[in-house]
Amino acid sequence: MSDTDTQGPSQRSTTILSWNIETPVPFFVLPTKKTGSLPNHAKARPHHLRELVARHDYPDFLCLQEVLARLSDVDWIADLGRAVNGRIRDRGPKYTPYMSLNRSTRGQRHFGTVTFAKHPESIERYREVEWDSEGRVVILEMKSGWALVNVYALNGSEAPWKDPTGEGLPKSRNERKREFNRLLLKECQEMQKRGLRLVLIGDFNISLTALDCYPRLRMEYPHMLARKEFNEKFIPGANVVDIFREVHGDCLVFSWFAKGKPQGADCARVDYALVERTLISRVLETGYLEDSGERAHSDHAPVWLALQDMHNLDISPR
């Protein structure tokens, strides 16, 4: 575990823990006819999610990506809730789920995001976005004037992308990734016009600089173009900063680790907390939980963020 992940979130602040879990199946106790078998690299860990939030002082928000559920997966969704809230006589705080799931009615389960909130009474509005049918964005707008945006962006490539609803025009995954980023930027700017301050967190499937990828940053097309647009258009357009770099400078830390290789041999930082510049002074700390025990079966490490004084923001339109 690196020196950036030893403290964890603090109870005295607004804390957010975000994690691409890759698959929730190891956390389930459902029969395999409902979930399928465990991945080859995983073992059953039905208590891991609850132990994770307890170990880090029950953060105010838990943002998960790749929950791999459809709206019809009632048992699947319910067991994920039990995995977060504790299964037997757990007296710790309980969480309310807010989700966006893949709208496809057939085929394999893919994508999906869920944000679990410890204090649902603080939320003014929960919503998805109409331009995404894959379950990649969950937005919670808070009564105090800020919005938490849970993001699972596409991994861009030249492979084909098809809208799960069958309505969108076929295109490459990289084309859709860039389109997704443009649409997300517009969404952010519309919220800012309404006076909301923004915190975006999740798996953005992009490495922003050479510091964020080992052994090398992918410089070939189309990855280079997606990164250039994100750095030059999305980040300034949304008026956000990569808060880990803002706080920790050039410290080397990663959030994705290639399976089947020693940790650190092939890795990248693709999970981020992007904080609006107007909120930088409210950031207490941020970091990654790189330890393999924290990330269990997943190839991603959780990222956490702690902020202060988030209950008295100026919410006048800008």
Side-chain angles (χ1 to χ4, degrees), residues 61-64 96-99 113-117 138 140 148 150:
F61 300 97
L62 174 66
C63 300
L64 301 181
T96 300
Y98 300 89
M99 63 192 69
T113 50
V114 180
T115 297
F116 288 88
V138 175
L140 299 183
L148 175 60
N150 180 358

Side-chain angles (χ1 to χ4, degrees), residues 101-163:
L101 303 177
N102 194 320
R103 297 173 195 168
S104 175
T105 57
R106 58 186 177 180
Q108 290 183 311
R109 296 179 175 95
H110 290 294
F111 323 124
T113 50
V114 180
T115 297
F116 288 88
K118 189 168 68 174
H119 300 292
E121 68 279 2
S122 68
I123 299 167
E124 178 73 30
R125 183 186 182 195
Y126 141 67
R127 64 188 180 90
E128 303 173 72
V129 293
E130 57 87 20
W131 45 266
D132 169 56
S133 56
E134 293 184 308
R136 292 184 177 275
V137 181
V138 175
I139 299 175
L140 299 183
E141 298 181 2
M142 310 302 168
K143 294 177 181 177
S144 58
W146 66 285
L148 175 60
V149 186
N150 180 358
V151 178
Y152 176 39
L154 285 80
N155 187 358
S157 71
E158 287 301 280
W161 176 86
K162 293 183 179 179
D163 190 321

Side-chain angles (χ1 to χ4, degrees), residues 7-15 56-60 118 284 304-307:
Q7 295 181 5
S10 165
Q11 287 183 319
R12 62 188 174 87
S13 59
T14 298
T15 52
H56 296 288
D57 299 324
Y58 297 104
D60 296 286
K118 189 168 68 174
L284 291 171
W304 62 269
L305 174 67
L307 306 111

Side-chain angles (χ1 to χ4, degrees), residues 47-59:
H47 303 292
H48 183 85
L49 272 176
R50 188 59 175 178
E51 290 170 351
L52 179 71
V53 296
R55 189 161 56 248
H56 296 288
D57 299 324
Y58 297 104

Side-chain angles (χ1 to χ4, degrees), residues 25-289:
V25 173
F27 307 139
F28 291 162
V29 294
L30 297 173
T32 56
K33 66 179 181 180
K34 289 186 177 291
T35 65
S37 59
L38 286 171
N40 292 334
H41 62 284
K43 64 179 181 180
R45 299 173 184 264
H47 303 292
H48 183 85
L49 272 176
R50 188 59 175 178
E51 290 170 351
L52 179 71
V53 296
R55 189 161 56 248
H56 296 288
D57 299 324
Y58 297 104
D60 296 286
F61 300 97
L62 174 66
C63 300
L64 301 181
Q65 301 90 41
E66 280 205 81
V67 298
L68 306 184
R70 296 177 290 242
L71 289 172
S72 58
D73 294 322
V74 177
D75 292 339
W76 184 289
I77 295 166
D79 210 44
L80 180 62
R82 285 188 286 269
V84 171
N85 283 321
R87 298 184 178 279
I88 302 173
R89 298 177 184 174
D90 189 305
R91 296 183 180 181
K94 304 301 181 183
Y95 290 82
T96 300
Y98 300 89
M99 63 192 69
S100 179
L101 303 177
N102 194 320
R103 297 173 195 168
S104 175
T105 57
R106 58 186 177 180
Q108 290 183 311
R109 296 179 175 95
H110 290 294
F111 323 124
T113 50
V114 180
T115 297
F116 288 88
K118 189 168 68 174
H119 300 292
E121 68 279 2
S122 68
I123 299 167
E124 178 73 30
R125 183 186 182 195
Y126 141 67
R127 64 188 180 90
E128 303 173 72
V129 293
E130 57 87 20
W131 45 266
D132 169 56
S133 56
E134 293 184 308
R136 292 184 177 275
V137 181
V138 175
I139 299 175
L140 299 183
E141 298 181 2
M142 310 302 168
K143 294 177 181 177
S144 58
W146 66 285
L148 175 60
V149 186
N150 180 358
V151 178
Y152 176 39
L154 285 80
N155 187 358
S157 71
E158 287 301 280
W161 176 86
K162 293 183 179 179
D163 190 321
T165 65
E167 297 177 1
L169 294 175
K171 59 195 69 174
S172 73
R173 290 183 61 81
N174 179 65
E175 288 173 322
R176 176 56 181 174
K177 179 181 183 66
R178 292 162 58 203
E179 180 182 56
F180 176 94
N181 289 339
R182 290 192 294 268
L183 291 167
L184 182 60
L185 173 58
K186 184 177 179 181
E187 197 77 43
C188 290
Q189 292 171 334
E190 289 298 319
M191 284 188 284
Q192 288 169 326
K193 288 178 182 177
R194 293 193 282 118
L196 292 167
R197 313 291 182 88
L198 301 183
V199 175
L200 293 86
I201 199 164
D203 178 4
F204 289 83
N205 260 314
I206 194 167
S207 293
L208 299 182
T209 73
L211 286 173
D212 301 315
C213 205
Y214 182 85
R216 68 180 186 89
L217 185 67
R218 292 188 290 180
M219 293 298 295
E220 66 274 14
Y221 178 88
H223 307 290
M224 179 177 64
L225 180 58
R227 180 171 58 253
K228 179 179 174 65
E229 289 183 352
F230 198 83
N231 278 323
E232 296 181 1
K233 296 182 179 180
F234 186 93
I235 287 180
N239 194 30
V240 295
V241 298
D242 170 5
I243 199 62
F244 181 82
R245 286 280 170 248
E246 187 77 17
V247 173
H248 293 288
D250 292 344
C251 178
L252 290 179
V253 67
F254 303 101
S255 69
W256 172 85
F257 303 88
K259 296 190 191 78
K261 296 183 179 181
Q263 181 159 319
D266 186 358
C267 49
R269 191 169 69 102
V270 296
D271 303 80
Y272 298 95
L274 303 179
V275 176
E276 188 172 316
R277 286 188 177 276
T278 59
L279 297 175
I280 289 176
S281 64
R282 299 175 189 262
V283 174
L284 291 171
E285 184 54 283
T286 186
Y288 292 83
L289 307 178

